[in-house]
Amino acid sequence: MLQASVSAASLVVEIVAGRMLAPYVGMSLYTWTSIIAVVLAGFSAGHWWGGRLAERDGASALARTGWATLGAALTTGAALWLLGWLAAPVLGALAHPVWGIAALCMAVFFLPSFFAGVPAPVLAKIAVDDSIRPGRALGAMFASGAIGAIAGTLLAGFLSISWLGTALTLALITAVYALAAVLLLAMAQRLSASSVTAVALALALSGAALAAPRPCTVESRYFCLRSVDVSADPQSPVRMMVIDHLTHGISAHDQPLVMFTEHAAMLDALARLRAPRADFTSFFIGGGNYAVPRAFAHRGAGAMSVAEIDPAVTAMAARDFWFDPTTAEVLHQDARRALLERPDRYDIIIGDAFTDVAVPAHLVTREFFELVATRLTANGSYLMNVIDYEGRLDALASLARTLDAVFPSVEIWTSTAPPVPGARVVFVIAAGQAPTNVASFNAPAPGPTTFAAIDPGWIARLISTKGMILTDDFAPIDRLVGRPD
């Protein structure tokens, strides 16, 4: 039972680590790869050290294991504080996102995993020595550890994070480690004033974290969500939605038609320029702060459907960003599944899934774009925002080439302002049966901004030199959007 509890606690910390890192580095393949690698490294080192302790006599091994479990309690209780202190200097010192994520994971989560890995060999050795059937005892220990790990994973992923939040979940895990340490020290008859003090310190650290300011307004099953007031005039509110660590939209109460980001301004304007009729129908892949659907509804566009996987995002948009949910059909499911299940056709489909290095790979493949094409009307258009580095453009090239394999016409739009060398640039790709009937347009973003279609010859050269066709079998979009070396 003790081993199952420690294993469950350690896996809860591993799952919670993803949510803890999200406000600083987002959620991506790199984030989870780093978390899993660091946690497994910690477990491995802890098992090795636990094996050395298991060679001692029973009381001595239990006592040292109890102190190791106290180490797990202390480092888990301090994890939120440590992450807050280290995130800015570590990420500032390591500009490449992959190295920054890995280093931050190592700094915060290696020691909790190391200490949590110590008890298994010691408890297994004691179980085998005290049993007349050592093989069965050893198997039972392995099974209990695995069952505990499964329980911890399910508990964190389905219940504790979304119901309790990160800080309270870590406080409970700290308490589990502290109780396990007390039991181990009591079994070894080594419970002392210093160990009780360490338990109190661990509980105090995790308890204090509960009172500290939280980076999330809402912790949903999917994201860390924040609603931030950026108003210059309190009588005319303007709010920014932050999902994990990135701004996903800004809306003003009194200016529903003004887009405060370049990608939203382009999506809004291009949809109207390319729509075959004034009351055009639309389907949105991702809702965010619902700025564009809100603008469409204000202008009296046709029926809208929005596939936003997180109900908490929609609830926040309705509560803080003045979106009226009755103006659109909101589908709280994955956009690809929503399009697969629905035979409806739309005049405009908008893909707004690009954020940072985290891009849903299944929404950028040839097979997905072929599905999109079947859900467009005869003169319909697909618009998607793309963010890429000025000196790289591998992701932009590959997305354009993939769309070019599906649609007769593919355009790339961006601001006419010269990009800063090495900076990230916002683009919108417009795909359909024919090109847009204008070469440029002006739109508030929020100040007057001119956007233009990039020369088709330049696009052809970009596709031929850098582009690859992304498929369900191979879509390395995380690597393609990486920072240039």
Side-chain angles (χ1 to χ4, degrees):
M1 186 64 181
L2 191 59
Q3 178 56 41
S5 299
V6 172
S7 294
S10 66
L11 264 293
V12 170
V13 173
E14 180 177 0
I15 301 300
V16 169
R19 174 52 55 82
M20 290 171 62
L21 287 167
Y24 303 97
V25 297
M27 287 307 305
S28 67
L29 179 64
Y30 301 132
T31 308
W32 279 115
T33 299
S34 298
I35 291 170
I36 294 170
V38 166
V39 169
L40 289 178
F43 288 163
S44 299
H47 292 334
W48 174 81
W49 185 249
R52 293 175 64 89
L53 295 181
E55 295 177 349
R56 295 176 173 269
D57 65 87
S60 176
L62 280 174
R64 283 168 170 76
T65 303
W67 278 102
T69 311
L70 274 176
L74 285 165
T75 52
T76 299
L80 276 172
W81 297 106
L82 191 61
L83 180 60
W85 292 332
L86 293 179
V90 169
L91 296 175
L94 299 169
H96 196 289
V98 176
W99 294 116
I101 292 170
L104 199 56
C105 284
M106 179 64 72
V108 179
F109 299 110
F110 178 81
L111 284 179
S113 303
F114 169 78
F115 288 124
V118 171
V122 176
L123 296 177
K125 175 70 161 48
I126 293 173
V128 169
D129 288 346
D130 291 347
S131 175
I132 59 174
R133 293 179 174 176
R136 293 188 181 185
L138 187 62
M141 288 298 297
F142 276 108
S144 65
I147 291 171
I150 293 169
T153 301
L154 296 175
L155 179 66
F158 293 146
L159 293 174
S160 65
I161 293 175
S162 58
W163 285 92
L164 304 179
T166 299
L168 183 53
T169 297
L170 284 185
L172 292 175
I173 295 306
T174 300
V176 169
Y177 281 142
L179 178 60
V182 168
L183 290 174
L184 287 165
L185 290 168
M187 290 166 60
Q189 298 182 345
R190 303 285 178 88
L191 198 60
S192 62
S194 58
S195 60
V196 172
T197 301
V199 167
L201 177 59
L203 295 176
L205 284 170
S206 61
L210 291 172
R214 300 266 59 80
C216 311
T217 305
V218 174
E219 288 193 64
S220 74
R221 287 181 171 86
Y222 298 95
F223 304 115
C224 167
L225 305 173
R226 282 183 288 161
S227 176
V228 183
D229 190 344
V230 293
S231 306
D233 178 4
Q235 301 304 314
S236 181
V238 180
R239 294 181 186 140
M240 173 174 66
M241 179 183 283
V242 181
I243 300 180
D244 289 341
H245 73 310
L246 289 177
T247 298
H248 276 244
I250 301 174
S251 293
H253 176 270
D254 301 330
Q255 297 176 297
L257 301 183
V258 175
M259 300 295 113
F260 285 78
T261 59
E262 289 187 355
H263 83 276
M266 284 189 281
L267 292 172
D268 176 45
L270 283 168
R272 289 179 286 119
L273 286 169
R274 295 179 63 91
R277 51 200 171 102
D279 59 341
F280 61 90
T281 58
S282 56
F283 182 95
F284 290 82
I285 299 169
N289 73 326
Y290 284 77
V292 180
R294 180 186 175 216
F296 283 10
H298 189 82
R299 292 192 182 95
M304 293 185 292
S305 297
V306 183
E308 169 54 61
I309 197 168
D310 192 348
V313 171
T314 303
M316 180 174 283
R319 185 183 69 241
D320 294 349
F321 295 86
W322 310 286
F323 169 68
D324 181 358
T326 64
T327 60
E329 178 187 31
V330 179
L331 309 168
H332 291 129
Q333 64 182 133
D334 177 78
R336 184 161 176 171
R337 182 173 181 83
L339 286 174
L340 277 169
E341 292 178 347
R342 299 165 60 80
D344 301 352
R345 291 177 177 264
Y346 306 90
D347 296 315
I348 299 290
I349 296 179
I350 293 179
D352 190 10
F354 245 78
T355 53
D356 191 13
V357 292
V359 180
H362 68 297
L363 300 181
V364 295
T365 65
R366 179 177 58 195
E367 290 85 352
F368 175 67
F369 295 149
E370 288 170 346
L371 171 63
V372 167
T374 67
R375 297 299 185 261
L376 288 171
T377 56
N379 295 311
S381 297
Y382 175 63
L383 309 174
M384 73 173 296
N385 76 300
V386 180
I387 304 171
D388 206 351
Y389 286 96
E390 175 270 342
R392 186 177 174 103
L393 302 183
D394 290 356
L396 180 67
S398 295
L399 287 164
R401 181 176 178 184
T402 305
L403 283 163
D404 187 61
V406 177
F407 292 93
S409 173
V410 174
E411 301 172 336
I412 300 177
W413 290 76
T414 191
S415 168
T416 57
V420 176
R424 301 178 75 195
V425 182
V426 176
F427 304 91
V428 165
I429 302 180
Q433 297 300 312
T436 311
N437 57 11
V438 299
S440 65
F441 61 85
N442 296 315
T449 305
T450 301
F451 300 97
I454 295 176
D455 176 66
W458 183 89
I459 297 175
R461 290 190 296 274
L462 179 72
I463 288 175
S464 63
T465 57
K466 286 178 169 283
M468 62 181 295
I469 293 181
L470 306 176
T471 67
D472 284 349
D473 178 62
F474 185 59
I477 191 66
D478 301 82
R479 172 168 57 83
L480 294 174
V481 298
R483 186 188 298 270
D485 297 328

